[in-house]
Amino acid sequence: MNQLLTDDIEQQCQQLIDAPTWWVALSGGVDSVALLHSLALFLQLSPQQTKPRLVAIHINHGLSANASQWQQECADFCRQLGCDLVIERVDVINQGKGVEAEARAQRYRAIAQHLAAEDVVFTGHHLDDQVETLFLRLMRGAGLLGLQGVKRDGVVFGCRVVRLLLSVPRADIEDYACHHQLEWVDDESNNDPRFDRNFLRHQVLPLLSNRWPRYRAAVDRAVQWLSEADHALQEYSQQDLQVLAGKDRWGGYLLLSPLIEMSQVRQKTVLRYWLAGHNCRLSSAVEFDAIVAQLARVKSGAELYRGDYRLMAFADKLYLVDRNDSECVDYSYGVDCLPMTLETPGGRLVFTEPSDDVEEGLLVAAPLPLRVAGRDLGQSVRPIGRGGSRSVKKVLQEHKVPNWYRQTLPMIYAANQVVAVADCVACEHDLPADSAFVVRWQPASFSPFYES
Ligand SMILES: Nc1ncnc2c1ncn2[C@@H]1O[C@H](COP(=O)(O)OP(=O)(O)OP(=O)(O)O)[C@@H](O)[C@H]1O
């Protein structure tokens, strides 16, 4: 095989021709070696006046005893090809997600550091990778998203990654490399049957191939069907989200009553696309089922899910809340001049001089300096105009402050007397009231929606 890039692939390349730099992630294996070689040829033959710069990037993870040999092979290959090469060394520390996953994350982060806006990274993923990924995910019971396998064009850790060879079988890539007398390295770990991927590659897939020689192309077609179905569902869900999704000062939410009117599958679908839109995922379908099962009888203040983020029901809305472990937060800040902005665990507090321009916020008549501290659980306050004292909890309820702010809610003191509860109420005190300030509180525990 003397040509690797089919007409379709060349068309994709043509669409990316305006990118300033084409980065090729070069592991030294046959896929990325053949990819780099074919892209170099493509650019050489391209009649285009201005062409992207072609640069290879190799990440040395230092995991294999052969790591420095791979690095050397990459350097030799790029020199022969007349292509620039960047080498990055990363230290892979397993933080519980496995060495492979950590190496991958480090690799993309290292690559991302070199990218300018509009740059593209090409990787050597091919059809056999896609098929293996799909079977592995099937074994894990993946859903529609997971069963689409690896994406042709997507963003990974901030890098735009394009996988041009995703429909090309590994055998064709090896033929191409042999035809052009390219040299590559073999990762010895690819033969270790302890890894699920290798077990599939060496023991299961050859059986399928014997029986259905064209099974890879069939799988590729199935993946494209799934991806179209996902697209269509996403479009339908957007229509639902236009009705259900919103945002208020507590964060992004879905309206609960109309959501639970829908069929359960539709609730699940809407929820999935809503979460995906905020880069939040659930780790399993079981978790989805558990959430949807609770929706119909959920009480205000209930937590439906806690993982990297939380799903909280409050006042007939389902809020997406950042994971907030700041219970019983003990903090204290001083305010001795205006204007001043404080980032507290409960959110951002902005103190300004009273002025006609201030549209939002609470006007408080009290002298500086002030102290801002987390709520004292047993505290009572005397809201102005309400007569008598009441607990902070009651004030929060009256102001419909969600329960997950209870511990971090900022209280504002002057000379040790409470003069305001966040920007909800100003409180009576016996201090001179001839000076005043305006306070505005922007709750912060919803980072996906937190506006800076
Ligand atoms: N050490 C490396 N340096 C640069 N690029 C690499 C390196 N390792 C892998 N790549 C790139 O990633 C592609 C896929 O490699 P491989 O299948 O080994 O990685 P993977 O971890 O399974 O990939 P991914 O997790 O990104 O899907 C290679 O063709 C190559 O383009």
Side-chain angles (χ1 to χ4, degrees):
M1 176 177 254
N2 64 357
Q3 206 185 338
L4 193 57
L5 308 187
T6 58
D7 290 350
D8 277 359
I9 299 178
E10 288 201 343
Q11 252 178 33
Q12 282 183 63
C13 292
Q14 204 52 48
Q15 284 164 7
L16 297 166
I17 204 83
D18 292 332
T21 306
W22 282 4
W23 294 88
V24 175
L26 183 66
S27 61
V30 66
D31 38 9
S32 52
V33 162
L35 176 69
L36 179 61
H37 184 267
S38 58
L39 286 176
L41 271 184
F42 173 83
L43 288 178
Q44 208 181 336
L45 299 176
S46 163
Q48 200 87 16
Q49 286 278 310
T50 46
K51 303 176 193 181
R53 207 177 136 224
L54 186 67
V55 184
I57 180 160
H58 175 75
I59 312 299
N60 184 338
H61 298 115
L63 289 173
S64 158
N66 299 325
S68 47
Q69 189 211 329
W70 296 346
Q71 178 177 321
Q72 191 53 48
E73 300 255 358
C74 289
D76 293 344
F77 177 60
C78 289
R79 196 172 329 103
Q80 282 165 23
L81 201 62
C83 170
D84 290 337
L85 170 70
V86 170
I87 293 172
E88 280 284 345
R89 168 91 206 209
V90 295
D91 289 319
V92 180
I93 301 157
N94 188 356
Q95 291 175 330
K97 292 195 171 162
V99 175
E100 295 275 307
E102 190 56 33
R104 176 177 186 268
Q106 295 275 18
R107 177 160 79 238
Y108 282 111
R109 283 196 197 109
I111 295 175
Q113 284 176 4
H114 290 273
L115 299 194
E118 316 291 324
D119 279 0
V120 189
V121 182
F122 294 101
T123 60
H125 293 92
H126 46 67
L127 183 54
D128 293 61
D129 287 328
Q130 179 70 309
V131 170
E132 289 162 8
T133 301
L134 207 81
F135 275 93
L136 286 171
R137 294 191 181 171
L138 204 54
M139 292 305 103
R140 286 204 299 266
L144 190 54
L145 209 61
L147 292 180
Q148 287 168 60
V150 186
K151 288 234 166 358
R152 263 156 229 280
D153 190 338
V155 177
V156 185
F157 291 100
C159 308
R160 169 149 185 217
V161 177
V162 178
R163 294 149 179 131
L164 293 171
L165 305 182
L166 210 53
S167 296
V168 180
R170 180 192 285 121
D172 288 2
I173 297 176
E174 286 179 359
D175 276 359
Y176 174 89
C178 292
H179 180 88
H180 291 278
Q181 298 178 338
L182 307 180
E183 287 182 15
W184 65 88
V185 287
D186 278 316
D187 182 346
E188 67 285 350
S189 71
N190 283 343
N191 294 322
D192 186 340
R194 283 175 306 170
F195 295 120
D196 290 343
R197 188 177 282 271
N198 296 338
F199 169 72
L200 266 176
R201 183 179 301 173
H202 298 298
Q203 309 209 27
V204 179
L205 298 178
L207 284 176
L208 290 181
S209 179
N210 282 343
R211 176 89 188 195
W212 295 285
R214 296 177 58 77
Y215 82 100
R216 292 179 187 83
V219 169
D220 194 33
R221 270 203 312 282
V223 165
Q224 290 183 33
W225 279 117
L226 288 174
S227 146
E228 280 181 21
D230 183 41
H231 216 89
L233 272 180
Q234 195 170 350
E235 281 184 20
Y236 294 133
S237 289
Q238 281 313 321
Q239 293 172 10
D240 285 341
L241 286 172
Q242 275 178 12
V243 178
L244 297 176
K247 182 186 163 192
D248 60 21
R249 80 181 301 209
W250 312 121
Y253 61 78
L254 289 180
L255 292 173
L256 270 172
S257 293
L259 179 65
I260 57 181
E261 292 289 304
M262 295 176 171
S263 69
Q264 289 212 338
V265 278
R266 194 155 156 196
Q267 289 175 32
K268 257 161 79 172
T269 310
V270 171
L271 197 58
R272 180 158 76 80
Y273 288 108
W274 182 61
L275 290 175
H278 294 102
N279 283 329
C280 295
R281 294 227 172 131
L282 289 172
S283 45
S284 76
V286 180
E287 287 173 341
F288 258 121
D289 289 339
I291 292 169
V292 171
Q294 291 175 70
L295 282 179
R297 50 191 160 73
V298 73
K299 294 212 168 59
S300 190
E303 179 179 85
L304 279 82
Y305 174 78
R306 179 186 277 251
D308 290 342
Y309 57 91
R310 298 199 287 166
L311 287 175
M312 304 291 299
F314 186 77
D316 203 30
K317 290 173 183 164
L318 180 67
Y319 284 93
L320 178 59
V321 180
D322 237 16
R323 190 187 165 88
N324 182 2
D325 288 330
S326 52
E327 281 168 18
C328 299
V329 172
D330 190 13
Y331 64 85
S332 176
Y333 303 91
V335 177
D336 50 14
C337 62
L338 299 175
M340 185 174 279
T341 299
L342 292 180
E343 302 290 347
T344 76
R348 178 179 297 166
L349 274 180
V350 183
F351 293 89
T352 48
E353 298 273 7
S355 97
D356 295 342
D357 295 344
V358 182
E359 286 172 8
E360 292 174 352
L362 178 74
L363 179 67
V364 184
L368 264 50
L370 306 170
R371 188 169 63 85
V372 174
R375 178 194 157 203
D376 173 351
L377 283 174
Q379 202 141 22
S380 287
V381 292
R382 287 178 289 146
I384 289 174
R386 303 279 176 82
S389 70
R390 62 193 66 209
S391 67
V392 174
K393 185 174 174 188
K394 187 94 182 127
V395 173
L396 301 188
Q397 280 169 353
E398 284 171 0
H399 281 80
K400 301 203 169 7
V401 177
N403 53 319
W404 53 91
Y405 278 114
R406 284 193 191 148
Q407 310 299 331
T408 55
L409 187 88
M411 307 282 292
I412 301 163
Y413 298 81
N416 283 336
Q417 296 189 44
V418 179
V419 295
V421 177
D423 61 2
C424 301
V425 287
C427 301
E428 286 176 14
H429 55 77
D430 47 28
L431 301 165
D434 50 357
S435 51
F437 61 90
V438 170
V439 60
R440 198 153 51 90
W441 179 42
Q442 297 171 323
S445 53
F446 306 95
S447 72
F449 315 95
Y450 189 34
E451 290 162 340
S452 53

